[in-house]
Structure formats: C-alpha cells, structure tokens
Amino acid sequence: MADAPKLVFAPFGAAKVPPKTGVLVVFCDEELKLGSATRQALKGAGDLIARAAASDRFTGKSGSALDIVAPTGLKAARLVVIGTGKEALKAQDLVKLGGAATGRIPANAAHATIIAEMPGGAMKPDQAAELALGATLRVYAFDRYKTKRKEGEEPPSRRDIVIAVGDVARTRKAWSRNEAVANGVVFARDLVNEPANVLYPEEFARRAGKLRNLAVSNDELDVTAMKKLGMHALLGVGQGSARASRVVVMRWKGGKSGADPVAFVGKGVCFDTGGISIKPAASMEDMKGDMAGAACVVGLIQALAARKAHVNAVGVIGLVENMPAGNAQRPGDIVKSMSGQTIEIINTDAEGRLVLADVLWYTAKRFEPKFMIDLATLTGAIIVSLGHEYAGLFANDDKLAERLTKMGEATGEKVWRMPLGPEYDKQIDSKFADVKNTGGRMGGAITAAQFLQRFVGKTPWAHLDIAGTGFASPQNDINKSWGSGFGVRLLDALVAEYYEK
Ligand code: BES
Ligand code: MN
Ligand code: ZN
C-alpha cells in the first residue's frame, strides 16, 4: 500500500488543532451558515468568515473554497471553508465533498481537522463515512519510487487528518464498510501504477495471493495447466515473453453455500508492446496499465471479502505480457481456443480479446455463474467513441446492462451502453478459421466485444471497455492518480444493491 496520511475519527469537542501547522476545514451553505459545533470551534474568530467571504467573493457554492491563512482569534494556521451549495447532498456528492475538502489541505500541514457537520447539523454516520471515503481516495499518491521530497512537505505517513464527528462509534462502524472499498480501490491503483519490470504475470499473481489473508481462496493456473485445458488463445499472446503467463482464480464465499456465484473477469496484459504488430513509441509506456481490468477484479474481490459481502463471488484474471520475439506469435497464425473455436491472428496487437476468449470460456464452464462481467482496456476505439469519462458497456442481457448503468450514475463510475449484433459478425468472420481477431477500423470497440460474445455461451454477460477510464483519465476531486482503480466502486455497488439479499 502507498504511503498515505493517517485518517482518524474524533468527537466534535476533542477536535484539537495544534498551533503553527494545523488546518481547520469546515462546511457552510450558500447563506454562509455554519453548524453549531462549527460555530463552537470558531468561537473567537468573530465575523472572520463573513469578511473574508466578501473580499474573496466566496458564496458557498458546492465544492468552492475560502482559504484564510493565519485566522485571527483561532489557533489554527489556516482555516478552510468549503461550500456545500443549496441542494441536498447524495452519497456520491458527499464522497466528492470529502475529496474537495481534503484537497484543500496543503502538503506542508502535519495536522488537519475536518468538522463533519453540515449547516443543518452533524452528518449522519454513513454520511461521514462517505466523506471519509472521498478523503481517502483523494490523498492517495503513488510515490514509492520518489526518493526526494519538495522542501517543507511532510512525509505522508507523518500527516494526519482528523474527521470530527457527532458519533464516533457509529461513524467507525459505517466507515468499516467504506474502508474495505477504499482499500480495494487503492490496491487496484497500486497495481495499475506499478511499472512492468516490477509487475509481470507471476508477481501480479503473487500480489493477488495476498487476498488469502481475507479467506479468499486463490488458485493459479500455470502454463502446463493452461496447455492441458487447451487455452491456446491466451498462451499464444504470452509465448514471446520471457515471463510466464498465469491465470489466477479468486473465490469469496460469503453467500449461501451452493448458490451460483457472480463472476468477474479481467484482462491482465502486464505490458502490451503490440507484439510483432508493434506499437509506435509514443505513449507506449502507458501500456504498463493494460492490466487495469485484472487490477479492478483483484481490488473488487478484496473489497467484497473485507466487508464480508453476503455473496459468492469469483474473480478470474488472465495475466500475460505481449512481446515481440523470435518465438512470438505472428500475424496469420491460427490458434485453437479452449472453446474449440479456431482464431486467425490478423494483428498481434489485438491481444486482449485472445486472453479473454479463454478466460471467459473457462469461467462460464467451471462456475456456471449467475452472470459474468469482464473489464478490459480493450480498444483505442472506445476512447474515440466515449472519451475518458464513460466506460463502454456491451451486454447480452438488458437487466444486467440497466443495473450497471444505474450504479454507474450512483457511484460516478459511469458506463454507456454500446450495441452488439449479428450484423457485425461479417467483420470478424475469417477466411481460414472460425473467427479473426480484428474487424477493421470501423466500430472497433464493437467488433472487439462481438468477438468476446462468441466465447460466453448463454451466460448473462457484460463487457466493460475501460481503455479510456482505467488510466490516464481526467483527474477529479477523488482521483489524482494515473491508475484510477475504475470499476471497483461500480461493481461493489452493483453487488451490494442487487446480489446480496
Ligand atoms: N491495450 C490496447 C488498447 C488500448 C489503447 C488501451 C490505448 C488503452 C489505451 C489493445 O490491446 C490494442 O492494442 N487494441 C488495438 C486493437 C486493434 C489492433 C484492432 C487498438 O485499439 O488499436
Ligand atoms: Mn494491444
Ligand atoms: Zn492491450
């Protein structure tokens, strides 16, 4: 886990702000109204906020901030007032507010106290827990390879952020659920940010093995086991790499014994050079993140296990490295997938669908899941279609698609449904084999999904193309990291809302 400031809950009254370096963060509405515990904490500061607001044209608009340095009459070195707007705040708004508030704490502050109180009264425990989720996601930074620090900056581990709340015990309880999810997102981000010389398939598998501490069973398929199963689509992708391929199967059994599991499948291309159809040099370094789908699956299963979700869940990830080499796969090669279908390789850079073909088929056959959702940084074409805000959603099941769309809106990890259909099949029918691995430039994200559909049988299935959202996506109040951890919160919410009852 990355080095991060410590987050603690304390009662309103005990929220002490040490002199010199302490920052106090409070909330106000569009009338600049403050809650009573906040007024108590600001006693002595008189009409400071009103005067500062007037001079700074601060109106308390949602997410806006008023920054007062060396506030007269207060012990704190800095007072930050965050606007909450005038509308009632939903869970996701509170998460964002927690991120915005935390983002106003300068890195040279060793201590900060955020008073979790709205102008109308204390935040409820679950509201304070959403605030804390936003704060935790915001302070995440992947800095383990930095050996120098900017002058005056406190090491993250020496900073603490106190969230002052009305009911510490109940807030801690509400937080334990969100903390599990936050840790899942952090785990996913760490994996995506890690460079490929450190994180190759076997090392990825080792890190996924840490989930055993949470009673998640964890089996690995090595190359011999995959050969026995006939996973030649996946194995062909990895054959040019000095690093051996792996499949990892994680199982969390928190539901009724014998109940069909829900299944999550991830593309784990630890580095994608393109193979013999090699990529251009510009931005190739980003392809260390081509395992963001697999990272999400690991983070999600960790979150479900840590919060003891009442569900049986499986996570299956296909881990390979796509390299050009004397023994690498060539365009024109034909491989036989585990399903028995033969695939003609047209472009070795369309490797993700080859990995998923075998992992989806394996998951459907072995687990007969209630549904199967795969996540993959699959196509540049989805970025052309949707940019970096929405992930592409493809599904053979309308109910699953609707549920995902709803949870996307609720969590802010948004998905947009794209079409599938037999009309697209002609683009991927092959002259020499059953199917080919590219469908040309037109509708590239769709033909990729249409290819995957040939390997899911009748299982209710959805595919999330996260090429635009898994890494290098726009930074926001709750994410300043290159690897975003996209999908963990979305799928955790999907499970919680629909599959734990
Ligand atoms: N991993 C890439 C897709 C990608 C590109 C993800 C940019 C994130 C950012 C994938 O393996 C790939 O190379 N896809 C090709 C497919 C093509 C050869 C049919 C693409 O999108 O160009
Ligand atoms: Mn590729
Ligand atoms: Zn790829």
Side-chain angles (χ1 to χ4, degrees):
M1 172 149 163
D3 188 19
K6 206 161 66 260
L7 192 79
V8 290
F9 297 104
F12 282 142
K16 55 175 184 291
V17 182
K20 280 202 188 133
T21 57
V23 178
L24 185 62
V25 184
V26 301
F27 298 103
C28 78
D29 66 10
E30 291 202 359
E31 265 119 48
L32 304 187
K33 228 177 82 198
L34 307 165
S36 62
T38 304
R39 287 199 304 273
Q40 193 74 20
L42 295 182
K43 219 168 42 192
D47 59 351
L48 191 60
I49 291 183
R51 279 170 47 216
S55 83
D56 213 24
R57 300 189 181 196
F58 171 79
T59 59
K61 252 182 41 208
S62 175
S64 64
L66 178 66
D67 202 353
I68 307 171
V69 181
T72 321
L74 280 188
K75 266 186 157 186
R78 186 186 283 260
L79 170 65
V80 180
V81 187
I82 306 277
T84 61
K86 48 185 167 218
E87 256 133 80
L89 300 182
K90 295 195 287 275
Q92 174 57 11
D93 302 322
L94 287 157
V95 176
K96 282 198 223 156
L97 199 63
T102 309
R104 295 288 173 165
I105 303 169
N108 61 6
H111 304 272
T113 300
I114 302 174
I115 302 187
E117 187 187 43
M118 305 296 274
M123 288 183 191
K124 297 198 181 72
D126 53 326
Q127 293 180 309
E130 301 289 18
L131 196 78
L133 174 61
T136 305
L137 297 179
R138 174 61 178 249
V139 298
Y140 172 89
F142 186 77
D143 46 16
R144 68 172 59 146
Y145 297 107
K146 295 263 193 194
T147 64
K148 299 183 180 76
R149 206 174 299 286
K150 285 197 198 103
E151 213 182 323
E153 246 177 43
E154 291 287 344
S157 55
R158 289 225 326 254
R159 299 172 54 195
D160 47 52
I161 298 175
V162 174
I163 300 191
V165 298
D167 186 334
V168 174
R170 284 179 57 220
T171 304
R172 283 212 184 104
K173 204 161 159 238
W175 169 239
S176 76
R177 183 200 181 284
N178 277 8
E179 186 180 27
V181 178
N183 286 341
V185 177
V186 165
F187 193 5
R189 285 180 182 175
D190 277 349
L191 289 168
V192 178
N193 286 325
E194 199 71 87
N197 60 326
V198 175
L199 194 71
Y200 45 91
E202 283 173 296
E203 174 61 16
F204 195 126
R206 222 176 343 265
R207 294 195 188 185
K210 286 187 190 146
L211 268 54
R212 290 195 184 101
N213 297 336
L214 293 166
V216 171
S217 78
N218 185 295
D219 320 304
E220 278 181 40
L221 306 181
D222 62 10
V223 171
T224 313
M226 287 189 268
K227 277 189 182 149
K228 238 186 232 155
L229 288 163
M231 292 185 164
H232 300 291
L234 184 154
L235 288 168
V237 175
Q239 81 186 26
S241 170
R243 303 293 195 180
S245 302
R246 286 286 182 276
V247 162
V248 179
V249 179
M250 294 154 281
R251 303 183 72 177
W252 163 249
K253 295 180 183 166
K256 287 203 190 78
S257 113
D260 287 344
V262 297
F264 302 95
V265 169
K267 168 179 173 181
V269 177
C270 293
F271 196 80
D272 181 13
T273 63
I276 294 300
S277 315
I278 197 163
K279 288 180 179 297
S283 301
M284 202 205 271
E285 68 276 14
D286 281 1
M287 287 300 116
K288 71 172 184 176
D290 208 18
M291 29 52 71
C296 172
V297 170
V298 175
L300 171 69
I301 301 291
Q302 174 177 285
L304 295 176
R307 69 172 183 78
K308 298 197 160 50
H310 296 154
V311 71
N312 295 332
V314 225
V316 190
I317 55 179
L319 303 168
V320 301
E321 184 179 55
N322 188 21
M323 298 295 272
N327 56 342
Q329 172 158 269
R330 293 150 290 254
D333 284 5
I334 295 177
V335 294
K336 190 171 198 140
S337 68
M338 184 184 169
S339 76
Q341 297 173 84
T342 55
I343 307 169
E344 182 189 8
I345 310 302
I346 300 297
N347 188 320
T348 63
D349 197 11
E351 84 297 340
R353 65 198 74 183
L354 298 168
V355 172
L356 290 174
D358 279 338
V359 180
L360 285 167
W361 183 265
Y362 172 80
T363 304
K365 290 295 140 186
R366 174 163 171 203
F367 297 108
E368 298 180 354
K370 249 194 211 85
F371 67 72
M372 184 158 76
I373 297 176
D374 78 74
L375 299 105
T377 47
L378 202 63
T379 67
I382 200 68
I383 312 178
V384 176
S385 307
L386 299 176
H388 294 278
E389 300 292 348
Y390 281 76
L393 161 65
F394 301 83
N396 65 2
D397 185 279
D398 291 341
K399 192 172 80 183
L400 187 56
E402 269 162 36
R403 290 175 169 185
L404 279 163
T405 303
K406 250 198 202 145
M407 290 304 105
E409 292 303 324
T411 58
E413 294 191 333
K414 299 194 290 279
V415 298
W416 194 262
R417 192 167 183 188
M418 302 276 290
L420 287 166
E423 303 85 347
Y424 293 100
D425 276 330
K426 53 183 174 297
Q427 281 179 255
I428 52 170
D429 286 333
S430 159
K431 209 178 327 177
F432 299 105
D434 297 330
V435 64
K436 57 183 179 183
N437 81 329
T438 61
R441 266 172 47 76
M442 298 301 147
I446 304 170
T447 50
Q450 190 74 19
F451 176 98
L452 297 181
Q453 192 173 22
R454 295 194 186 194
F455 299 88
V456 304
K458 293 216 169 352
T459 311
W461 156 78
H463 156 59
L464 299 176
D465 193 335
I466 60 169
T469 52
F471 55 76
S473 50
Q475 312 266 288
N476 56 41
D477 283 342
I478 58 169
N479 182 40
K480 297 290 164 196
S481 165
W482 182 78
S484 64
F486 183 97
V488 174
R489 292 196 304 121
L490 167 69
L491 298 175
D492 172 75
L494 178 84
V495 170
E497 183 73 17
Y498 299 106
Y499 300 97
E500 287 191 60
K501 316 241 150 99

